[in-house]
């Protein structure tokens, strides 16, 4: 890797896995293939930029195979144990997680945890199941308005979320209750990746979540490539939930988003107008939260089309010393059983203007190769896992 890039843009298409890993049987995920099932969901799918780069070559069933891709195209194996958001993102930046974060997707939280949270907060807990945040407030919001209870729910990630109406539970109280939940869930048997405050407003039938969300996350258990970059005074810019995933550690800037479109608009603006040296790390969560978990393959495909249009604007505005990397953090096959993440390979497509010839490359043994390549580019400390990708 002779060329040094001034700006690197790493965009995570959250949950867009590209086929079950060899160990998927352990996770009951044999046969999952998020990309394949998303591409097949819409017959007239229009994603010319992803096709041009060679991203779609990672689905061998896709009829438009590109024999001359413009990007370096490969898939990556997850070295860590698990299939959640934090595990995947932390591995990108050099952390191998050996003990998966605990999840309560199928069972809800243990009664002992709920009892302690009720005792500490003084409020009755309702919900206690895996659910969509918007759907559970529609279901249980009317009850909360009547009895001032707290709506507690989880997802496929290691997370406890507390939803409360701002007119019933003041924000400062909700945040205090989340701090209590964070303290309770630090115990080894309940160790959760995140606790999230999810305030909302409105009336039954028209509830709406507000922008006053607040995350209480675990910090990475060791330094990451983000830390190494920041220590050497490179910018480490977060767009989307990256800042929350790393609890701010190693990041110099946070840009919150409300949708994939908003995240890409902020990324496009960064590409066009922001002169910086370092990493812009982007997460597009709607693929996972809005479509994957809700098993909406058609919606996922349409969202991919919308992303492709905005990707075109990124490609148009990249400078000669910019590097673009597209990847994912796990799978979430919308045609698979249940509503959980799926243990899959993830894509990695790399592009820069002076790339002489794109090509298909063999699989990588860890997501950490991304962080190692970024660290090598900026000549900072190398992470404990990962090997440098040859970008020629």
């Amino acid at each position: 890797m002779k060329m040094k890039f001034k700006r690197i843009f790493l965009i995570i298409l959250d949950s867009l896995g590209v086929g079950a890993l060899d160990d998927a049987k352990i996770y009951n995920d044999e046969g999952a293939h998020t990309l394949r099932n998303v591409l097949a969901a819409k017959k007239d799918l229009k994603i010319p930029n992803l096709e041009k780069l060679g991203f779609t070559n990672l689905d061998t069933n896709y009829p438009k195979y590109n024999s001359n891709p413009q990007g370096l195209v490969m898939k990556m194996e997850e070295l860590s144990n698990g299939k959640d958001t934090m595990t995947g993102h932390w591995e990108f930046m050099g952390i191998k997680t050996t003990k998966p974060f605990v999840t309560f997707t199928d069972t809800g939280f243990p009664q002992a945890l709920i009892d302690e949270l009720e005792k500490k907060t003084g409020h009755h807990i309702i919900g206690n199941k895996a659910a969509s945040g918007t759907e559970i407030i529609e279901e249980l919001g009317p009850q909360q308005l009547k009895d001032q209870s707290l709506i507690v729910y989880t997802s496929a990630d290691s997370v406890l979320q507390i939803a409360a109406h701002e007119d019933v539970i003041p924000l400062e109280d909700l945040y205090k209750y989340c701090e209590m939940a964070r303290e309770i869930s630090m115990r080894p048997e309940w160790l959760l990746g995140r606790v999230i405050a999810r305030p909302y407003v409105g009336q039954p039938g028209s509830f709406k979540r507000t922008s006053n969300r607040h995350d209480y996350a675990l910090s990475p258990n060791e330094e990451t490539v983000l830390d190494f970059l920041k220590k050497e005074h490179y910018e480490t810019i977060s767009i989307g939930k990256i800042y929350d995933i790393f609890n701010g550690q190693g990041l110099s800037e946070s840009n919150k988003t409300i949708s994939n479109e908003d995240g890409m608009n902020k990324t496009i603006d960064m590409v066009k107008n922001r002169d910086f040296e370092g990493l812009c790390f982007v997460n597009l969560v709607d693929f996972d939260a809005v479509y994957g978990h809700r098993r909406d393959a058609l919606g996922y495909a349409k969202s991919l089309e919308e992303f492709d249009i905005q990707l075109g604007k990124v490609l148009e505005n990249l400078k000669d010393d910019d590097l673009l990397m597209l990847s994912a953090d796990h799978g979430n096959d919308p045609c698979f059983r249940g509503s959980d993440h799926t243990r899959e390979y993830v894509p990695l497509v790399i592009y820069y203007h002076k790339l002489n010839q794109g090509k298909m490359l063999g699989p990588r043994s860890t997501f950490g190769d991304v962080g190692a390549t970024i660290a090598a580019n900026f000549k900072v400390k190398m992470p404990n896992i990962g090997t440098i990708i040859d970008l020629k």
Side-chain angles (χ1 to χ4, degrees):
M1 189 173 78
K2 294 180 179 180
M3 182 176 182
K4 180 178 178 182
F5 300 95
K6 181 180 178 181
R7 304 188 302 177
I8 296 180
F9 295 90
L10 172 57
I11 302 177
I12 306 301
L13 287 70
D14 199 309
S15 84
L16 193 60
V18 292
L21 281 167
D22 292 342
D23 66 359
K25 183 177 182 180
I26 299 171
Y27 298 82
N28 201 27
D29 288 337
E30 287 179 293
H33 200 308
T34 303
L35 179 65
R36 174 166 298 164
N37 286 314
V38 168
L39 295 180
K42 191 172 187 292
K43 291 183 179 179
D44 58 344
L45 191 68
K46 294 180 177 62
I47 46 172
N49 292 300
L50 288 168
E51 291 172 358
K52 178 174 65 177
L53 291 176
F55 194 105
T56 51
N57 287 0
L58 292 166
D59 170 20
T60 55
N61 285 359
Y62 193 64
K64 300 178 185 178
Y65 185 84
N66 183 356
S67 58
N68 294 294
Q70 292 189 7
L72 301 174
V73 184
M74 65 210 82
K75 60 183 182 180
M76 299 188 295
E77 185 175 351
E78 187 161 16
L79 182 64
S80 299
N81 295 319
K83 52 179 180 176
D84 64 276
T85 297
M86 288 177 66
T87 298
H89 283 79
W90 286 11
E91 185 169 322
F92 278 118
M93 293 296 113
I95 293 179
K96 176 186 176 182
T97 300
T98 54
K99 183 179 180 181
F101 291 107
V102 63
T103 60
F104 296 96
T105 311
D106 296 327
T107 62
F109 298 105
Q111 192 59 44
L113 186 156
I114 296 297
D115 290 345
E116 186 165 348
L117 189 57
E118 285 187 333
K119 183 178 180 180
K120 283 184 176 292
T121 63
H123 289 268
H124 178 53
I125 301 295
I126 58 176
N128 191 24
K129 60 183 179 180
S132 154
T134 54
E135 291 175 0
I136 201 166
I137 62 174
E138 286 302 318
E139 176 191 351
L140 299 178
Q143 179 180 344
Q144 184 185 70
L145 285 173
K146 291 178 182 178
D147 62 16
Q148 298 187 9
S149 51
L150 297 174
I151 301 172
V152 170
Y153 64 103
T154 189
S155 71
D157 276 324
S158 179
V159 61
L160 183 153
Q161 305 189 67
I162 304 180
H165 198 290
E166 291 188 5
D167 293 341
V168 173
I169 307 291
L171 276 176
E172 57 269 27
D173 288 345
L174 176 59
Y175 294 160
K176 181 174 64 177
Y177 301 151
C178 286
E179 289 170 2
M180 293 173 178
R182 175 72 277 177
E183 181 181 359
I184 293 169
S185 63
M186 289 301 291
R187 297 178 190 170
E189 67 271 27
W190 299 337
L191 184 61
L192 292 166
R194 286 178 293 161
V195 172
I196 306 176
R198 289 288 199 174
Y200 65 97
V201 293
Q203 296 300 316
S206 60
F207 290 130
K208 183 178 180 180
R209 296 198 292 192
T210 74
S211 60
N212 294 317
R213 163 182 170 160
H214 191 73
D215 290 55
Y216 301 81
L218 290 179
S219 295
N221 53 12
E222 60 185 80
E223 288 189 318
T224 72
V225 172
L226 296 173
D227 295 295
F228 306 151
L229 291 170
K230 190 176 180 183
K231 284 181 178 180
E232 297 299 327
H233 308 293
Y234 292 105
E235 291 197 57
T236 49
I237 300 166
S238 160
I239 295 179
K241 67 177 184 177
I242 299 296
Y243 196 90
D244 296 328
I245 292 168
F246 289 88
N247 202 24
Q249 183 175 308
L251 288 156
S252 58
E253 179 179 330
S254 173
N255 297 275
K256 292 186 178 295
T257 61
I258 58 173
S259 65
N260 279 1
E261 181 184 15
D262 183 41
M264 284 301 291
N265 282 336
K266 286 180 166 65
T267 303
I268 293 164
D269 182 66
M270 196 74 63
V271 173
K272 292 172 66 174
N273 302 314
R274 181 74 171 268
D275 183 23
F276 70 92
E277 188 170 10
L279 173 66
C280 179
F281 198 174
V282 183
N283 177 280
L284 303 176
V285 71
D286 287 358
F287 293 124
D288 184 46
V290 179
Y291 306 109
H293 286 304
R294 298 182 188 179
R295 294 302 186 246
D296 181 0
L298 180 59
Y300 205 135
K302 291 178 179 177
S303 185
L304 201 61
E305 287 184 316
E306 294 164 0
F307 166 77
D308 192 85
I309 294 170
Q310 292 182 294
L311 174 62
K313 294 179 181 178
V314 170
L315 294 171
E316 288 171 11
N317 289 282
L318 284 178
K319 297 177 173 57
D320 285 346
D321 55 357
D322 288 341
L323 181 72
L324 175 66
M325 309 174 92
L326 304 177
S327 193
D329 53 341
H330 50 70
N332 197 345
D333 187 341
C335 297
F336 206 66
R337 57 182 170 269
S339 61
D340 197 357
H341 295 158
T342 41
R343 175 80 170 176
E344 297 184 49
Y345 287 96
V346 301
L348 180 61
V349 176
I350 299 174
Y351 174 80
Y352 59 93
H353 284 327
K354 293 185 179 180
L355 179 63
N356 289 328
Q357 183 177 359
K359 52 190 170 183
M360 300 297 296
L361 299 174
R364 313 293 299 194
S365 60
T366 170
F367 300 1
D369 290 358
V370 170
T373 304
I374 292 169
N377 177 76
F378 293 109
K379 295 182 170 58
V380 300
K381 182 179 177 181
M382 295 295 290
N384 292 326
I385 61 171
T387 57
I388 302 167
I389 301 167
D390 185 357
L391 300 182
K392 296 192 296 292

